[in-house]
Amino acid sequence: MQSRGSSHRLPGLALRSPISSFMLAMLATMASVYVAGRLWQDAENRVYLIKELDRRTGKTAISVDESLKMVACRDQHKKLAALEMELAAARHEGYVSKYGYGSESSDTNGAPSKKRLLAVIGILTGFESKNGRDAIRKSWVPSGAELKKLEEDKGVVVRFVIGRSANRGDSMDRAIDDENKHSKDFIVLDNVVEASEEVPKKTRLFLAHAVDTWDADFYVKVNDNIYVNIDSLGAMLSAHVDKPRVYLGCMKSGEVFSDSNHKWFEPDWWKFGDGKSYFRHASGEMFVISRALAQFISINRDILRTYAHDDVSVGSWFIGLDVNHVDEGKLCCSSWTSGAICSAV
């Protein structure tokens, strides 16, 4: 009996099995179609959103790989900037000093070492100024062993600063190299073309080079038509050694000229507002900055903007910083005031 009953149920089971398989297959197909449709719709939406973003912002969408590369690059820049600031701070504390005549520095054991240099003076000069340099050497800048003695006794380094000819290696370059072999009093900036329009860049790279080469309390820029009383300069600077961010000079302002035919034409005149007046800055004849400011210029040398004139350019770099601007009348070289440290010829 059981065997017959069992035989009666078998056809029913056999009938339901193909139906179940068919239903499952149909459901699976419908699910696949649904998922594929949703994925297609999502892809279409993404394409539409990207195109709409490009249309509204004018920017092209970048891939994930490109985004990751950009993030990694930014992280490296941040790490590099942090290391540079740590190096600057270490120099400020005296851990990386090589010289010393101005303020005290310490060695790695904390014991006092030599004093830093008081000042590094850069005299900006040109190919055509050989007679002027010789006159300066006979007046306020010593030569030979006396130049080294000035560094050792008074902590003052003095160098002429010059770039290279646009025709690298020509007779002008060779003349400077020959002159330097005898005088040994030049800083030759190989990556600066010697030209009037390059003076702001030349000033920036001199200050960066000077602070990278000599550890001093102050860095001074002077034109080659200026005569300086080094003893008076040293006495004045000694009164400012305790100021970490000081900018000294004959502070001035003046009209911004938008006429391209004018001698003092400023191509970026529109950036100075409707009043067309420069912000306060030290005269380019002679100015002084402290070590911290020179380090700031060195670290940021590749991104600091220059204007048509070097004095305006230097003043612009300190606008957003906590800097002590000192309007020092003794550095007004053209006014011939009593007690002046410098004089123009």
Side-chain angles (χ1 to χ4, degrees):
M1 295 293 290
Q2 289 179 355
S3 61
R4 285 197 298 270
S6 298
S7 64
H8 287 309
R9 285 192 295 271
L10 286 174
L13 291 172
L15 181 62
R16 285 194 297 271
S17 180
I19 295 174
S20 300
S21 299
F22 175 78
M23 292 296 293
L24 289 173
M26 186 171 65
L27 290 173
T29 301
M30 292 175 64
S32 299
V33 170
Y34 174 79
V35 171
R38 288 300 301 271
L39 291 175
W40 177 264
Q41 184 179 7
D42 289 343
E44 287 290 314
N45 289 339
R46 284 195 295 272
V47 171
Y48 171 78
L49 290 174
I50 289 173
K51 289 181 178 179
E52 187 66 14
L53 180 62
D54 291 345
R55 184 182 68 81
R56 295 190 179 187
T57 64
K59 297 179 180 179
T60 302
I62 59 175
S63 66
V64 174
D65 289 340
E66 290 173 334
S67 298
L68 292 175
K69 289 178 182 178
M70 289 176 64
V71 171
C73 184
R74 287 171 183 167
D75 287 341
Q76 291 299 324
H77 277 298
K78 289 179 181 178
K79 291 178 181 178
L80 180 59
L83 289 173
E84 288 174 334
M85 293 304 295
E86 288 178 7
L87 178 59
R91 284 176 175 160
H92 183 71
E93 295 299 326
Y95 293 109
V96 197
S97 63
K98 296 182 292 183
Y99 305 91
Y101 295 84
S103 59
E104 291 285 346
S105 60
S106 302
D107 61 21
T108 54
N109 296 320
S113 62
K114 291 183 179 180
K115 292 183 177 181
R116 296 185 180 91
L117 290 167
L118 178 62
V120 176
I121 303 174
I123 307 169
L124 269 64
T125 188
F127 293 125
E128 73 288 350
S129 300
K130 175 66 165 61
N131 292 336
R133 290 192 293 273
D134 288 341
I136 288 175
R137 292 184 182 113
K138 291 176 182 178
S139 56
W140 66 276
V141 176
S143 302
E146 291 299 314
L147 186 65
K148 184 65 177 177
K149 191 172 185 295
L150 176 65
E151 176 183 335
E152 293 173 347
D153 292 350
K154 299 183 179 179
V156 177
V157 170
V158 186
R159 296 290 187 272
F160 292 101
V161 182
I162 198 166
R164 286 296 190 183
S165 170
N167 301 313
R168 185 61 63 91
D170 64 7
S171 60
M172 292 188 291
D173 277 350
R174 293 195 298 272
I176 291 298
D177 291 338
D178 290 341
E179 184 179 343
N180 193 30
K181 285 179 183 177
H182 293 91
S183 63
K184 294 181 173 57
D185 58 3
F186 275 92
I187 293 174
V188 179
L189 300 173
D190 290 324
N191 52 349
V192 174
V193 174
E194 192 59 42
S196 58
E197 63 270 18
E198 293 293 308
V199 172
K201 178 182 178 182
K202 182 179 177 180
T203 301
R204 180 183 65 194
L205 293 184
F206 153 65
L207 293 170
H209 172 85
V211 75
D212 290 346
T213 306
W214 293 283
D215 187 21
D217 283 315
F218 298 99
Y219 298 84
V220 186
K221 179 262 178 179
V222 183
N223 287 342
D224 64 359
N225 65 333
I226 301 298
Y227 282 56
V228 178
N229 185 323
I230 291 182
D231 289 335
S232 297
L233 175 65
M236 183 199 71
L237 294 181
S238 297
H240 296 281
V241 168
D242 60 338
K243 301 172 184 176
R245 293 176 301 279
V246 64
Y247 173 38
L248 300 102
C250 183
M251 295 295 169
K252 64 174 187 175
S253 186
E255 182 179 355
V256 179
F257 295 98
S258 57
D259 182 1
S260 60
N261 295 318
H262 196 279
K263 179 182 179 180
W264 307 115
F265 170 60
E266 174 59 71
D268 287 321
W269 58 268
W270 62 274
K271 293 183 179 179
F272 295 91
D274 296 335
K276 290 187 179 180
S277 179
Y278 286 119
F279 41 76
R280 192 71 65 185
H281 59 277
S283 168
E285 291 182 322
M286 181 177 182
F287 64 80
V288 183
I289 63 172
S290 62
R291 184 159 47 100
L293 296 183
Q295 288 169 339
F296 170 80
I297 293 172
S298 174
I299 291 171
N300 297 283
R301 70 186 75 181
D302 294 329
I303 60 173
L304 289 176
R305 179 74 169 82
T306 56
Y307 293 95
H309 315 296
D310 66 325
D311 52 359
V312 174
S313 299
V314 174
S316 73
W317 302 335
F318 305 146
I319 285 291
L321 304 181
D322 182 14
V323 174
N324 183 9
H325 289 63
V326 178
D327 184 11
E328 179 54 74
K330 294 179 180 180
L331 295 178
C332 295
C333 307
S334 297
S335 62
W336 297 88
T337 57
S338 176
I341 291 171
C342 57
S343 62
V345 294

